[in-house]
Amino acid sequence: MELRQLRYFLAVAEEGRFSRAAQRLHIAAPSLSQQIRALERELRVPLFERTPEAARLTVAGVVLAERARIVLAEVDRALADVRAAGADSRERLTLRVATMADLVLGGPLRHAALAIDGIEVSVSSGRGDDAVEAVRQGRADAAVVWSRSYPQRDLAGVVLGQVVLGVVLPLGHALSGAVTVPVAALADEVLVMFPREPFAGTWDRAVDHVFPAGAAHDHVVIEPDLLNAPEAVLRAVGAGTGIAVSILGLVDHLGVEGITVRPLVPALTWDLEAVWRAPASPAVRKLVDFLVESSQDPETLVEPVRSPGDGRRDATVTA
């Protein structure tokens, strides 16, 4: 078994399709398929259930994925430590950023690698819950994620702030001319959503907010291809599939035509959190402090969390 094969295997597991994994790895899809077949022959077990639409992990594949992430994380960390020993004295940290959080904190994240004395930060994107899991398994030192679900609160965390979401409507919709849209007016609408699994916390928060009385089975349309493409959700709305929710201020940035966005009443918000494994090293604390300070930059789309008593930022740390 080669480390390259493990990296190929994880790419397919994370992307869910051989074609998308091949694009991510910059290799031909047939070559990738051959490498995975060779790995399956060596292990004598199938790792994926293959269909024309997707490649899903088997039970054996799930076990290998969990172990492979740990093995590759240790290999990468060892390589980084060796290179650091031969280069300079800066400590290297890995920061995983959930989908769309990089758009909200784009400027500060671009400067993170240079802005913290004595620390070199490697920033990479990850799918929702995968970013949390990367921290839990030691594949990342910290992560910036959206509202965590309850089982994910075993990690230490600080709320950096909140983003406000609006309802995205197709042009010509009966509510498109309203200044604000009451949630009660959306009871009979169809909500276009990304798959729940990698984004459980934000998914539940959005669906429960739009349909406080509960969503019927045909009230939510899930598009598997929308996993890493927020603009694809907006295009589905423009095509008449339904409505959606998106971060206010981000819709115009994505430049999708045929839609409009309106604030919701009551407002829908998502928390933006930094998470890490406790106890935090001094370097991780420096990184977290940088993220807290950067989230207050007026150029970001993050609004500070206000405490009820004095109106100041409430940076809530959870252990």
Side-chain angles (χ1 to χ4, degrees), residues 147-288:
S147 304
R148 286 183 287 167
S149 60
Y150 181 77
Q152 296 171 339
R153 297 193 173 273
D154 58 319
L155 294 173
V158 58
V159 177
L160 302 175
Q162 295 176 327
V163 293
V164 180
L165 287 84
V167 58
V168 183
L169 305 165
L171 290 179
H173 189 283
L175 296 171
S176 62
V179 177
T180 60
V181 174
V183 167
L186 304 177
D188 297 325
E189 298 287 344
V190 173
L191 182 65
V192 182
M193 290 291 291
F194 41 78
R196 179 182 182 276
E197 184 177 350
F199 307 94
T202 52
W203 201 98
D204 291 344
R205 197 160 178 169
V207 173
D208 291 347
H209 189 91
V210 173
F211 301 117
H217 72 282
D218 57 350
H219 276 191
V220 180
V221 173
I222 298 174
E223 296 285 352
D225 290 338
L226 306 186
L227 197 58
N228 284 316
E231 65 274 13
V233 176
L234 306 184
R235 285 196 294 268
V237 174
T241 303
I243 65 170
V245 294
S246 187
I247 299 169
L248 288 177
L250 185 60
V251 175
D252 292 339
H253 172 76
L254 293 174
V256 177
E257 298 181 351
I259 60 173
T260 186
V261 61
R262 293 290 181 266
L264 280 167
V265 180
L268 169 61
T269 62
W270 286 348
D271 293 336
L272 192 64
E273 302 179 65
V275 298
W276 64 92
R277 296 185 308 279
S281 68
V284 170
R285 283 297 339 173
K286 282 186 178 182
L287 173 58
V288 172

Side-chain angles (χ1 to χ4, degrees), residues 73-131:
E74 288 300 320
V75 170
D76 292 342
R77 193 179 297 274
L79 291 174
D81 289 346
V82 171
R83 289 167 181 157
D88 55 45
S89 60
R90 289 186 299 173
E91 186 167 352
R92 286 166 170 77
L93 297 179
T94 300
L95 176 67
R96 189 69 62 90
V97 182
T99 303
M100 290 198 299
D102 54 340
L103 300 177
V104 172
L105 286 176
L109 293 176
R110 283 194 298 272
H111 301 306
L114 304 174
I116 310 173
D117 291 339
I119 298 174
E120 181 176 323
V121 182
S122 174
V123 181
S124 61
S125 60
R127 300 186 311 170
D129 296 352
D130 290 349

Side-chain angles (χ1 to χ4, degrees), residues 285-305:
R285 283 297 339 173
K286 282 186 178 182
L287 173 58
V288 172
D289 289 343
F290 169 81
L291 292 172
V292 170
E293 182 177 352
S294 298
S295 66
Q296 302 177 55
D297 188 328
E299 294 185 1
T300 71
L301 297 177
V302 181
E303 296 189 357
V305 179

